[in-house]
Amino acid sequence: MNWKRLGLALGLILIVSLGIWFLPLQGQVLITPGDAANVLAFPQVRIEPRAQTTEILVTDNVAWSNVGLAINGQLYPTSDFQVSNGIVTWRWRFPTSALQGDVIFYHSCQTGCLERTRAASGRPTPRSEPKQVEPSKLGVVSANPNRDWHGRSGWDVEMTYSTLAEDKESGIDELARHVYLANAQNLRVLVRVDYAPGQTLPSANDNVALNQYLVYLRRLARDARLRSVYGFIIGSGFNDPASFSAVPNAPLTPQWYARVFNGYGEAVTRADNAVQVIRQVNPHTRVLVGPVRPFKSEQNGRNKHRIDAPWLNYMNTLVARLDEAARAKMQAGYALTAPDGFAVNAPG
């Protein structure tokens, strides 16, 4: 054996491998034994521009359900699809003049869109250094995407309702678009999740409504389009009758809120609560307790505050119940069931 030639060959392979590794390439590498003539890499994206209309075709060897194509945060359903020998091709048509930016193919959107592949359309965006933005405490609800933040990074609070998940104007797809636009403005996004308009949380002891609410929370936490969300706020103003006006005879007590949030009053082995449902699919996001509405006297709490005011007693009781549930679960070996923080209404 010629050890010198072998050493040169191995050195050449190492140099070529390192060169490929550091090249700015994206794609897939297939290692196949034997005849690889008929091996194809999936998924495939083809962008076919024409004078007025551009077609985008996505081909995959998995027949995904509930697919969509997102461009600049807007999700578009497929125009049509074809199946041949187990290979599926989905087709979209767009005005050529309007097609610019990343094209992202999602699937399984009925339970939270998952990204399968992406491509770029239109002219490439010139590379530039990321803008340095000044962090601030500025925050608004449903930030106007045309607002000038004057070089500051603020906060945007978006709202969504579990009963309106598929609504075109306020459903999950519109929420994802708002999050995309807020991110483009360097805003940090908090998403407040209510059960329904006029009913911030499922009414007390309504387990059917609670299940619907938790299913929606899981969908939000799973959706790849919402992975940049800073945190989810569970309800708001639950000590105010206006927040449970849909079922006014079932007040949202501190005990029921703690039940919804981290399972207070139930067996520690049960995971049907907001914080555990969210963290099962996205352990990195934050889960925040919604704000208690100040100066309200309609509901009180058992744990008196040093200032004996109904809304402060309510808050004191709520914190005690959340802490009790989190400690019980921690002792049983279930971690990360305490709140990451408390949202506060602070206008002005």
Side-chain angles (χ1 to χ4, degrees), residues 31-224:
I31 301 176
T32 59
D35 184 9
N38 296 321
V39 175
L40 295 175
F42 293 102
Q44 301 174 356
V45 180
R46 301 200 311 274
I47 301 177
E48 300 180 353
R50 295 179 176 82
Q52 302 296 329
T53 303
T54 293
E55 285 194 350
I56 298 179
L57 300 98
V58 177
T59 301
D60 207 346
N61 57 351
V62 179
W64 302 109
S65 63
N66 296 85
V67 302
L69 203 67
I71 300 176
N72 296 327
Q74 181 73 47
L75 190 71
Y76 298 91
T78 181
S79 302
D80 59 71
F81 68 94
Q82 296 178 343
V83 182
S84 177
N85 298 322
I87 305 301
V88 186
T89 298
W90 296 271
R91 183 190 309 270
W92 288 264
R93 295 180 180 87
F94 300 96
T96 299
S97 58
L99 198 58
Q100 183 82 28
D102 286 339
V103 174
I104 308 175
F105 175 69
Y106 292 104
H107 66 84
S108 307
C109 286
Q110 78 281 7
T111 56
C113 292
L114 297 178
E115 180 180 336
R116 174 63 170 159
T117 189
R118 64 172 60 204
S121 64
R123 296 180 179 179
T125 304
R127 289 185 175 270
S128 60
E129 293 296 325
K131 293 181 180 179
Q132 295 297 321
V133 293
E134 180 183 346
S136 74
K137 296 180 182 179
L138 297 173
V140 295
V141 175
S142 299
N144 187 332
N146 297 317
R147 175 173 178 159
D148 184 357
W149 289 83
H150 300 284
R152 291 177 173 83
S153 174
W155 295 83
D156 175 31
V157 179
E158 297 289 340
M159 288 187 58
T160 187
Y161 302 95
S162 66
T163 58
L164 299 178
E166 308 303 334
D167 188 81
K168 291 184 178 180
E169 295 183 357
S170 57
I172 189 171
D173 291 338
E174 187 64 10
L175 170 65
R177 190 179 73 86
H178 284 206
V179 170
Y180 176 90
L181 295 174
N183 289 335
Q185 292 181 298
N186 299 300
L187 303 180
R188 284 172 288 184
V189 180
L190 295 169
V191 174
R192 171 181 148 189
V193 189
D194 279 16
Y195 172 69
Q199 187 72 32
T200 190
L201 290 180
S203 60
N205 303 314
D206 186 344
N207 291 316
V208 173
L210 175 60
N211 181 69
Q212 180 181 353
Y213 184 70
L214 296 178
V215 166
Y216 188 55
L217 285 176
R218 182 181 289 108
R219 180 177 177 183
L220 293 171
R222 184 175 184 263
D223 200 304

Side-chain angles (χ1 to χ4, degrees), residues 13-25:
I13 292 173
L14 178 61
I15 291 171
V16 172
S17 300
L18 289 173
I20 293 174
W21 181 267
F22 288 106
L23 283 174
L25 300 176

